[in-house]
Amino acid sequence: MEAWDAIRARRNVRQYTPEPVSDDDLNRIAEAGWRAPSAKNRQPWDFVVVTDREQLQELSTVWQGAGHIASAAAAIALVIPVPPNERRKVTDQYDVGQATMAMMIAATDLGLGTGHSSVGDQDKARAILGVPDGYLVAYLLGIGHPADRPLKPIRKPNRRPFDEVVHHGRW
């Protein structure tokens, strides 16, 4: 798939087939996150790739919107250090967002669906993943083969009108 088609085909997938995702594909997706830009090239992230069914089931309980993680073939947890100040919190969140989007586009390119989730219960998430104190599990990214329909460019996305969003020169 071309990059532009992957961008247009990417959507949140929260229902997956039971088909596994290969280690090669998971590593490629993680590499996309690893290659993402970051402020001052700090690369504040660590990624935990999870394929164990029991772990996925447990992870699905760390946030009300994480239920889809239980049926995903895999999940990647994006982990960052506890920020020392508000500025670092903002830049680290921005960086993790860029890594997440890079992973989502890479997965789409492979025909795999992704669905992101926040993490509410940090203690539980750290325990499930073996993440040491001093770190936050920022987000979870469920990954799997879409159960409902294949990924293809969306012709009419459910988005605010382009002309209302994009301003040239001034608001």
Side-chain angles (χ1 to χ4, degrees):
M1 187 179 292
E2 294 292 322
W4 183 240
D5 287 340
I7 290 167
R8 293 184 314 133
R10 192 223 55 85
R11 61 182 167 83
N12 288 331
V13 174
R14 300 201 189 292
Q15 295 177 346
Y16 308 97
T17 71
E19 183 181 352
V21 173
S22 75
D23 288 342
D24 286 344
D25 285 352
L26 290 172
N27 284 333
R28 184 173 180 151
I29 293 164
E31 183 176 344
W34 174 74
R35 289 179 176 270
S38 77
K40 296 185 180 179
N41 200 28
R42 283 187 42 260
Q43 306 165 53
W45 48 65
D46 283 276
F47 308 132
V48 182
V49 179
V50 178
T51 57
D52 179 78
R53 290 262 47 97
E54 286 182 28
Q55 259 186 302
L56 292 167
Q57 180 62 49
E58 286 184 76
L59 283 173
S60 75
T61 66
V62 300
W63 180 251
Q64 64 209 15
H68 65 284
I69 300 295
S71 65
I76 296 179
L78 294 94
V79 180
I80 57 174
V82 171
N85 54 49
E86 189 61 28
R87 178 69 183 149
R88 183 66 63 83
K89 178 181 177 183
V90 169
T91 58
D92 286 358
Q93 288 293 324
Y94 187 81
D95 288 354
V96 169
Q98 292 188 97
T100 301
M101 189 63 175
M103 288 188 220
M104 292 172 128
I105 297 299
T108 302
D109 183 56
L110 296 167
L112 298 169
T114 56
H116 59 284
S117 171
S118 293
V119 175
D121 190 336
Q122 285 292 320
D123 291 336
K124 186 174 187 179
R126 279 195 299 270
I128 294 166
L129 298 167
V131 172
D133 289 339
Y135 290 86
L136 299 172
V137 182
Y139 301 102
L140 300 173
L141 185 63
I143 303 167
H145 298 271
D148 54 351
R149 63 190 192 277
L151 297 170
K152 62 182 182 180
I154 301 167
R155 295 200 182 277
K156 292 185 179 189
N158 183 13
R159 313 296 294 174
R160 288 176 45 210
F162 185 80
D163 292 340
E164 289 180 19
V165 174
V166 178
H167 309 273
H168 293 272
R170 292 181 58 103
W171 184 273

